[in-house]
Amino acid sequence: MWTAAGLLTLADWIGSDENFFSADPAKIPASSEQAAAEAVARIGLGPLEVRSGLVFEDIFPFKPNSMQLAACETITGPGVYVIEAPISNRIFLRVEEFAKYINKMHQPVQLIHANTWLDKNTNAPVSKLSPAPSAQHEKEVSHADAHNWFSSSRRALLAPIGVGTADQAMLAALAVKHFPLRRLALAGKVVILGEVHSYDCYTGSIIQKLCDLLQELHCTVIVLSATLTQKYCTDLLNPEAQPKTTGVLPPYPLVHSHRQGQKATAISTPPPEEKRVAVVFTPQEQMVAQSLHQAAQGAQVLWICNSVDRAQETYGLLREACAANNVELGLLHARPPFFMRQKREHYWMDSFGKNRNRQHGAILIATQIAEQSVDLDADMLVHRTCPHRYAFATHGQTVAASTRIPAPPPHPAYTILQEKVSLAELRAMRAEEIKNAFGVKAFVYAPYVLAQALNIWSGISHVTLPSQIRELIEATYNEPDDLPSGWQELYDQLIGGDMARRHKALMNIMATSLGG
């Protein structure tokens, strides 16, 4: 019903475009069908014509790996598929290149997010919609809505191929204005949700319901993640099923499949090459000196902060020393003007890319945006306590030493900055004291999850990735035993908060089923 409502709204707006359907009786087109087809095509909503008979090597300049082969064999029709594997891609550019091979008409790939209109390279519509103006307030609002929906950020969701932020799809499951149009835009498509994590209960609840909705719309839903718990994965595939509790962790990586009308299955694939990474806790002052020393020797150092303020502070600590030692220093976060951020991202993604050929070391200070949809290759990863960042460490040092001048360090390093208080002190603290000790990151991640992650990693000197990812994920999120009183209080707050966030998400979703 809602999808049909979205179709009627879209048809009404297109039909109000006086460029194609004039109000002047003398200008009425001879063929309304031809005029409609031309209007749809000019707006960029024509059907996608795909070249048939292509194989993997026709599209990509390399042979498929075991995970890609398993995905090709498994993802064969509408349903929900979860790919658990270490992932990181510069998505838009790769999809754009992919579309050139498979698309007969070379229809452009649309960029879908709130700042799309600021990107001068975004594919703009050929013709702007021009609904007939009206003096009535309701129709004036409708006129503005039509223009807004056919601006680059909203119209792009209706395009045959698009790359954007997950919230643009999630709004189809929430009681927001024009959600029927979003459902229409997604109906029947392949919808890929990347970088899905377990720690955000509100977003996670919406994504679960979105997957159910997309199945009803005959979509093929592919969820990509390196850090899902077994329970969350089961909820995505089959919300009514309970995860098996055999005590044996499933293999990693895995491709999960739940086709419509069939039972959920899973296919394991050979993991990528294992990497043994040293885990070191280091005070920030000492880490500043070590980063500078390693970069001066030719290393690529990636330093990830949990907040913009912390990233700016760290950049300030290193700026003068880097300039004095001929070490390039970069700062990457979401606050700069869009054009400036875009320029910085392109530069540093290329500088830390696996095909780089740098002549000297560098240090990049970044927030979590460095973890999402980009390819980065660093010799040293530095960060503060975080529940999921260990999966990111699998991407270190993929460039052969012969391509680097000077050569990179012999072993990738994974450094966690020491907290200002020890683990023993944290275990003796009350809940509010623990929150204060973690500082600003306690507003980014649940304090209990931070404490549990710190507890787990404090006992590790080396980690082998990706084979230990599953073990670390489950240990971080499993229900604990025999907690200190302050930690127990934080855990109870986490469970209570999760219930409240899940309830809020479900209330927003239910409103779409109740009519408003």
Side-chain angles (χ1 to χ4, degrees):
M1 179 184 69
W2 289 121
T3 307
L7 177 62
L8 290 172
T9 302
L10 179 63
D12 176 60
W13 285 348
I14 296 175
S16 299
D17 187 346
E18 291 195 352
N19 291 320
F20 301 101
F21 308 99
S22 175
D24 185 349
K27 297 181 180 179
I28 295 176
S31 171
S32 58
E33 288 187 13
Q34 182 178 345
E38 183 181 351
V40 169
R42 289 284 296 277
I43 292 169
L45 304 183
L48 181 66
E49 295 189 40
V50 179
R51 293 190 179 98
S52 60
L54 296 177
V55 296
F56 190 95
E57 290 86 343
D58 293 331
I59 304 171
F60 303 102
F62 50 84
K63 292 183 178 181
N65 61 32
S66 56
M67 174 59 71
Q68 291 161 340
L69 287 172
C72 290
E73 294 172 3
T74 304
I75 305 171
T76 56
V80 177
Y81 306 85
V82 178
I83 298 178
E84 293 185 279
I87 53 174
S88 186
N89 300 297
R90 200 168 178 179
I91 299 296
F92 179 76
L93 295 179
R94 292 190 172 186
V95 172
E96 192 172 41
E97 188 67 22
F98 166 78
K100 293 177 182 177
Y101 287 98
I102 65 111
N103 184 359
K104 287 183 179 180
M105 303 300 293
H106 298 288
Q107 288 158 291
V109 177
Q110 298 293 334
L111 193 59
I112 311 168
H113 60 73
N115 288 327
T116 301
W117 65 279
L118 291 171
D119 188 348
K120 65 181 180 181
N121 296 316
T122 297
N123 297 305
V126 176
S127 172
K128 291 185 178 180
L129 192 74
S130 302
S134 169
Q136 298 180 14
H137 175 70
E138 292 81 2
K139 291 188 177 180
E140 287 179 350
V141 172
S142 177
H143 173 69
D145 284 349
H147 274 292
N148 288 337
W149 255 91
F150 282 90
S151 67
S152 58
S153 62
R154 296 184 177 184
R155 180 187 62 87
L157 197 65
L158 293 159
I161 306 177
V163 177
T165 50
D167 62 295
Q168 297 297 319
M170 288 163 55
L171 290 172
L174 298 177
V176 298
K177 192 174 185 180
H178 296 314
F179 74 85
L181 278 165
R182 295 182 183 273
R183 294 194 179 183
L184 171 68
L186 296 173
K189 288 182 176 176
V190 176
V191 179
I192 302 174
L193 302 172
E195 306 289 352
V196 176
H197 298 296
S198 298
Y199 61 80
D200 186 342
C201 186
Y202 178 80
T203 301
S205 298
I206 296 174
I207 287 179
Q208 288 177 23
K209 293 301 179 181
L210 175 64
C211 289
D212 295 341
L213 168 66
L214 293 175
Q215 285 193 86
E216 294 176 9
L217 297 176
H218 302 284
C219 294
T220 300
V221 186
I222 303 172
V223 178
L224 307 177
S225 179
T227 58
L228 288 185
T229 62
Q230 292 185 75
K231 183 182 185 308
Y232 188 86
C233 186
T234 300
D235 289 342
L236 283 177
L237 292 162
N238 186 2
E240 298 179 359
Q242 296 295 322
K244 297 179 181 179
T245 56
T246 62
V248 179
L249 294 176
Y252 187 99
L254 274 180
V255 179
H256 301 267
S257 169
H258 187 200
R259 292 202 56 183
Q260 292 178 349
Q262 299 181 11
K263 295 181 66 175
T265 60
I267 299 175
S268 62
T269 66
E273 181 183 354
E274 297 258 291
K275 294 181 181 178
R276 182 174 169 82
V277 182
V279 179
V280 182
F281 281 81
T282 306
Q284 177 171 289
E285 296 77 10
Q286 183 180 336
M287 196 63 243
V288 168
Q290 286 185 15
S291 297
L292 182 62
H293 173 74
Q294 292 289 346
Q297 300 299 312
Q300 312 299 303
V301 180
L302 177 61
W303 189 316
I304 300 182
C305 301
N306 292 327
S307 69
V308 174
D309 289 345
R310 185 70 71 184
Q312 292 172 329
E313 174 189 310
T314 305
Y315 180 85
L317 291 173
L318 285 160
R319 182 168 47 192
E320 290 186 8
C322 284
N325 289 271
N326 193 32
V327 170
E328 188 173 14
L329 177 67
L331 178 62
L332 194 60
H333 58 75
R335 283 188 189 170
F338 184 75
F339 75 92
M340 186 183 298
R341 172 184 167 183
Q342 187 181 47
K343 184 177 180 180
R344 287 184 185 178
E345 284 186 5
H346 283 309
Y347 176 79
W348 285 104
M349 295 314 108
D350 290 338
S351 295
F352 272 58
K354 59 185 179 182
N355 296 319
R356 71 181 187 272
N357 186 11
R358 299 186 60 92
Q359 303 299 310
H360 54 81
I363 303 174
L364 174 60
I365 311 296
T367 57
Q368 292 94 326
I369 64 172
E371 303 171 6
Q372 301 170 4
S373 301
V374 296
D375 273 340
L376 291 176
D377 176 47
D379 306 304
M380 176 184 291
L381 176 64
V382 182
H383 71 87
R384 293 186 178 275
T385 306
C386 171
H388 67 276
R389 200 160 286 147
Y390 43 82
F392 196 63
T394 59
H395 300 289
Q397 201 175 1
T398 59
V399 178
S402 60
T403 67
R404 289 274 301 278
I405 304 173
H411 303 290
Y414 181 55
T415 303
I416 303 173
L417 296 176
Q418 278 186 2
E419 300 296 326
K420 293 181 179 179
V421 296
S422 68
L423 181 60
E425 290 174 311
L426 280 173
R427 294 182 69 85
M429 288 180 176
R430 297 191 301 272
E432 287 304 314
E433 292 174 329
I434 295 172
K435 292 178 185 178
N436 292 334
F438 279 133
V440 68
K441 61 177 170 285
F443 296 96
V444 181
Y445 305 108
Y448 167 75
V449 177
L450 289 171
Q452 182 69 349
L454 183 61
N455 182 51
I456 293 168
W457 283 90
S458 294
I460 298 175
S461 60
H462 289 81
V463 61
T464 303
L465 300 173
S467 61
Q468 284 187 259
I469 287 180
R470 177 86 65 196
E471 170 191 337
L472 293 167
I473 293 169
E474 298 299 333
T476 302
Y477 292 98
N478 274 350
E479 185 173 351
D481 296 321
D482 194 26
L483 288 174
S485 59
W487 291 38
Q488 184 66 56
E489 185 178 349
L490 289 177
Y491 180 75
D492 293 341
Q493 291 176 7
L494 171 65
I495 298 302
D498 280 354
M499 291 177 64
R501 285 184 285 272
R502 186 176 292 109
H503 178 72
K504 181 179 179 181
L506 293 178
M507 290 296 293
N508 288 337
I509 293 165
M510 286 176 62
T512 66
S513 301
L514 300 174

